[in-house]
Amino acid sequence: MDFTVLTLFPELVGSFFEHGMILRGIEKKLITGHCINIRDFSTDRHNTVDDRPYGGGSGMVMKPEPLQVAILAAKKRTPESPVVLLTPQGTRFNQEKAMALASKNEGLIFVCGRYEGIDERIYATLVDEEISIGDYVMTGGELASMVIIDSIARLIPGVLGSLESSKSDSFTDERLEYAQYTRPEDFEGLKVPDVLLSGNHEKIDQWRKKSSLQHTFLKRPDLFKKTELSAEEKIIIKQWCQELEILVRE
């Protein structure tokens, strides 16, 4: 899967492609990462990419000409890739969206705005989709593009060391991930649950499902509204309620 990022700061995004999981995915030829400097497509000697907004107001707006040519250059390289603009006005990005984009495997071209935004005519003619990573404003789309690329790349088979790693991630089934422990067994008096040391995989699996439901209930109860409880989850929660009742009585 090919990721192309159009930005005024290619060195910022370029370093992202040179580390960790993303680099391993590139080395395995499972993904590719490419940066395009929008400023390279400006036509004056000052490499101007922004100008004052019509109608007045504070700040500057990214000019349409350099953006248009940069996007067309990216489309020439990967014609099937949709153009995605990172903006607070876009559709909220989540795990479901990440899985949908990863399954299409058609590549993505990210446009990273700066200043007060981009000329509206680029929205109308060249942008296929707008995506937001949250209801807040940042100085540019670069960090948002890296968040989305990281989230999608780890879902591509072979990028992670184990396919099971992504299957147990938080939000994959609208539940938070279960609690994780590693060595030492005793850390400042806090011990690893005995069941995780038992070697009984069936009991460990049950414990993890219970832990996942507890985390979801305590930290993100709103997630239960998105997906109905399964029969197994109902049994686990009833058992948990019984345990809480006994604890309260004591």
Side-chain angles (χ1 to χ4, degrees):
M1 188 168 185
D2 184 88
F3 299 105
T4 303
V5 182
L6 278 60
T7 172
L8 295 177
F9 299 94
E11 65 279 5
L12 175 62
V13 182
S15 63
F16 167 72
F17 291 128
E18 298 173 355
H19 298 279
M21 173 198 72
I22 297 296
L23 176 60
R24 291 194 299 273
I26 292 173
E27 290 175 339
K28 292 178 181 179
K29 302 187 185 305
L30 298 170
I31 60 174
T32 57
H34 186 68
C35 290
I36 291 179
N37 189 344
I38 299 168
R39 201 176 294 277
D40 289 342
F41 297 89
S42 60
T43 56
D44 67 343
R45 61 191 180 92
H46 299 294
N47 291 328
T48 305
V49 294
D50 63 313
D51 208 335
R52 296 185 299 274
Y54 278 120
S58 62
M60 304 289 276
V61 176
M62 291 185 72
K63 291 170 61 63
E65 303 99 316
L67 262 178
Q68 179 192 54
V69 183
I71 292 171
L72 292 177
K75 289 291 287 185
K76 184 177 181 180
R77 181 173 169 272
T78 56
E80 301 302 318
S81 298
V83 177
V84 176
L85 177 68
L86 289 316
T87 168
Q89 300 177 26
T91 303
R92 181 76 68 84
F93 185 74
N94 55 25
Q95 187 69 11
E96 182 180 1
K97 182 65 173 177
M99 291 188 289
L101 292 172
S103 66
K104 290 182 179 179
N105 198 32
E106 58 187 0
L108 292 166
I109 297 170
F110 294 98
V111 177
C112 301
R114 282 271 162 172
Y115 315 119
E116 294 301 310
I118 72 173
D119 190 290
E120 184 70 20
R121 290 164 290 187
I122 295 298
Y123 284 102
T125 59
L126 291 171
V127 172
D128 297 307
E129 185 172 3
E130 299 172 55
I131 295 180
S132 167
I133 62 169
D135 293 339
Y136 47 86
V137 179
M138 299 189 296
T139 54
E142 286 79 13
L143 293 176
S145 72
M146 290 185 273
V147 166
I148 294 172
I149 292 170
D150 186 281
S151 182
I152 295 172
R154 66 195 319 279
L155 298 173
I156 297 172
V159 172
L160 286 179
S162 169
L163 184 60
E164 297 302 316
S165 297
S166 63
K167 288 183 178 180
S168 61
D169 285 340
S170 292
F171 306 111
T172 298
D173 56 358
E174 301 298 351
R175 304 288 184 260
L176 299 185
E177 190 175 8
Y178 50 78
Q180 299 276 15
Y181 295 87
T182 187
R183 294 175 178 77
E185 293 181 18
D186 188 322
F187 174 68
E188 297 185 353
L190 300 174
K191 297 183 178 181
V192 175
D194 291 338
V195 65
L196 298 180
L197 307 175
S198 68
N200 188 319
H201 295 294
E202 184 177 347
K203 288 185 177 180
I204 291 173
D205 183 59
Q206 285 297 309
W207 181 90
R208 285 176 170 170
K209 289 177 180 177
K210 179 180 178 181
S211 175
S212 171
L213 289 170
Q214 290 174 336
H215 277 192
T216 305
F217 178 79
L218 295 172
K219 299 177 181 181
R220 289 291 305 277
D222 57 293
L223 293 176
F224 286 119
K225 297 178 182 178
K226 295 185 176 183
T227 305
E228 292 185 5
L229 292 169
S230 67
E232 183 182 23
E233 287 178 328
K234 289 179 180 179
I235 292 173
I236 293 172
I237 290 177
K238 286 179 181 178
Q239 292 174 343
W240 183 30
C241 289
Q242 291 172 356
E243 293 172 2
L244 289 173
E245 287 179 4
I246 294 173
L247 182 62
V248 170
R249 289 172 191 161
E250 293 177 348

